[in-house]
Amino acid sequence: EDGLGRLHGGRGGGSHAAEGGGGATPPEYSGIRVQFGVVPAGGARPAGSEGEFHQWFGEGVYALTGSYGTGAADGATSDMVAVVFADRAAGSAAPPENSNWEASDVREDCVGRLRRAGIPAEVVSVAEQCERCFELGVYEHDATAPWVSRGGRAVLLGDAAHAMAPFLGQGANQAIQDGYCLADRLAAARAGGLAARVMGPLQSYALLRRAPVTALQLESRLLGAMETAGGGAGTLPQFVRDAFFLANGKLGVAAQVFVKGARPWV
């Protein structure tokens, strides 16, 4: 600790900045669930699509397929599918999480969900061939909750401070920016700068980072609601969803949202 205290980062569990108080709120279930599947040997996607990610919208479902691996190095490439959907029956209570899901159970549920949602056959085919499958709920931490312990010697960063839905792909990016910002504030404190004397380095870090991650958290939550909109073809939810993505795509807003998230805010 050498007089500066401790920092805590993690994957959004029930983190506390220090024993006895301060720190993040308990994780909140977002009502969004994700089913993942992997085809280790690859070859499940259409020929020529290995270098592309394909995304699809269906009835209450967002699906993403892609390929990854060493590719040209030794020809080893795996295919993956991620299926995101709203847990309509969850209410305020999260279902129990179980890391030991039977792969066959998740695969069958995923395949059925894709078919009911009207997702194209190329995605269903990947799901049918998956050998490794699991399902997880998406949890968030309220980014406006305190990050610094009451004693001022411990601080949260990354998902432990502001776990967010994955729709902008910003979890790791924002954790890196947290680390950079915190290191910068600690270095300034050691140098004895005026800013460090006015406000402690941990509080200064939290003040600088809270606004950008809170905005990203809200944007990701909105995007998730749009991507998993249900109600059936021709209904208002799906009309709003389709109009939202069409308008934002034409205006270039969608690209700017992703670029803004990737741009350093420290």
Side-chain angles (χ1 to χ4, degrees), residues 22-50:
T25 58
E28 299 177 2
Y29 182 50
S30 68
I32 299 292
R33 301 194 68 77
V34 185
Q35 293 175 326
F36 295 95
V38 177
V39 184
R45 303 181 66 213
S49 64
E50 294 83 0

Side-chain angles (χ1 to χ4, degrees), residues 7-151:
L7 59 90
H8 292 251
R11 292 297 304 164
S15 305
H16 292 272
E19 294 82 354
T25 58
E28 299 177 2
Y29 182 50
S30 68
I32 299 292
R33 301 194 68 77
V34 185
Q35 293 175 326
F36 295 95
V38 177
V39 184
R45 303 181 66 213
S49 64
E50 294 83 0
E52 303 171 345
F53 284 100
H54 292 173
Q55 55 182 349
W56 306 88
F57 299 102
E59 166 59 24
V61 167
Y62 165 75
L64 174 73
T65 58
S67 303
Y68 65 93
T70 53
D74 60 10
T77 301
S78 299
D79 295 333
M80 59 75 65
V81 60
V83 178
V84 185
F85 59 96
D87 185 1
R88 308 294 179 192
S92 59
E97 297 295 344
N98 182 355
S99 60
N100 296 317
W101 288 102
E102 286 292 333
S104 60
D105 292 343
V106 177
R107 180 173 55 246
E108 290 172 9
D109 185 78
C110 181
V111 169
R113 187 179 308 281
L114 291 171
R115 286 176 172 159
R116 291 192 300 273
I119 299 294
E122 72 169 72
V123 183
V124 177
S125 177
V126 176
E128 289 175 327
Q129 298 178 62
C130 286
E131 298 177 22
R132 299 201 301 268
C133 307
F134 61 96
E135 177 181 319
L136 294 172
V138 174
Y139 291 78
E140 297 179 337
H141 274 311
D142 180 4
T144 64
W147 296 3
V148 181
S149 67
R150 283 197 288 265

Side-chain angles (χ1 to χ4, degrees), residues 8 50 63 84 97 181 190 193 218 222 253 264:
H8 292 251
E50 294 83 0
V84 185
E97 297 295 344
C181 181
R190 285 192 180 277
L218 293 173
L222 172 62
V253 175

